[in-house]
Amino acid sequence: MIFPEFLDVGDLIMISAPSAGVGRKLESFDHSLEILRSAGFRLQETASVRLNDMRGGDAVTRAKEFAECFRNPDAKMAACAAGGDFLFETLPYIDWEVMKENPKWLMGASDPTSLLYGYLTKCDTAVIYGMNAGSFDVEEMYPFIKDSLDIIKGRRVIQHSYDKFASVPFADELVFDKETEWKSPLDE
């Protein structure tokens, strides 16, 4: 398996919208980008990221822009702008060969999971699952967000369960209100 070079301060992350754009939540997206910049990264967005459209443009355009992230020799990572519901439209147009010829980190979560899985299995390249570029926009820097930033930089993170979880995971504001409890179906 290929493990791309981890990022250093000053490295470039390219952001595209293979699943959805962020035109309807620009303020929170910009706040998220501030967090990534404060971690030392340079950022570059493809043209469709900020479209005020749930899809962030048509599928062929989104796939071409996603490929730009891999063609750009200065980019160390490709990041999905957001989750969404429209990656399935883009998948037939993804250029797996460009990705295979230009291995770099790919980061995303939720709807982009199929893209990460495809890259992992078709191109034998490790991925970083857990955050979209627009997901760092919280006031409190939760441990899983700090861990994501450390993983991008190649710092070893000891993963463990968190004490609490959000009972409403897709709320506008995350509230970690439920105690984590491990259960086995064999115990019932």
Side-chain angles (χ1 to χ4, degrees):
M1 175 169 287
I2 297 167
F3 285 86
E5 195 175 315
F6 287 104
L7 280 67
D8 289 319
V9 170
D11 282 341
L12 177 65
I13 297 173
M14 292 247 344
I15 302 167
S16 71
S19 177
V22 296
R24 296 177 181 207
K25 60 172 204 160
L26 288 176
E27 187 175 320
S28 65
F29 183 70
D30 285 336
H31 180 65
S32 185
L33 298 187
E34 288 173 23
I35 301 295
L36 289 168
R37 284 187 186 101
S38 71
F41 303 118
R42 293 180 301 123
L43 307 173
Q44 181 179 333
E45 301 170 29
T46 59
S48 298
V49 167
R50 292 176 179 264
L51 290 179
N52 188 6
D53 177 294
M54 287 178 66
R55 286 174 162 77
D58 67 89
V60 172
T61 301
R62 287 181 286 148
K64 285 180 180 177
E65 290 180 1
F66 180 73
E68 287 176 28
C69 298
F70 286 85
R71 283 191 180 101
N72 185 334
D74 294 329
K76 286 278 195 82
M77 175 185 279
C80 299
D85 297 309
F86 306 106
L87 183 70
F88 70 95
E89 299 171 341
T90 308
L91 285 174
Y93 308 106
I94 295 296
D95 191 335
W96 301 105
E97 284 306 310
V98 166
M99 296 169 72
K100 193 172 198 168
E101 292 167 6
N102 303 284
K104 54 189 70 184
W105 288 109
L106 172 58
M107 180 177 68
S110 192
D111 197 43
T113 301
S114 297
L115 188 57
L116 275 72
Y117 180 74
Y119 184 45
L120 176 75
T121 58
K122 288 178 171 282
C123 302
D124 198 32
T125 304
V127 298
I128 298 174
Y129 181 85
M131 301 293 285
N132 291 307
S135 300
F136 292 90
D137 62 329
V138 294
E139 292 304 316
E140 182 179 342
M141 188 63 78
Y142 297 112
F144 71 91
I145 296 173
K146 290 178 189 174
D147 288 350
S148 293
L149 292 171
D150 282 342
I151 289 168
I152 292 168
K153 294 177 178 178
R155 297 183 185 138
R156 290 190 180 261
V157 173
I158 297 172
Q159 294 183 320
H160 56 84
S161 296
Y162 297 104
D163 295 333
K164 293 187 176 186
F165 69 94
S167 61
V168 183
F170 297 107
D172 288 339
E173 185 174 328
L174 285 177
V175 176
F176 294 90
D177 58 344
K178 296 287 185 181
E179 295 288 327
T180 301
E181 180 181 353
W182 288 95
K183 294 181 179 181
S184 168
L186 300 175
D187 295 337
E188 295 178 3

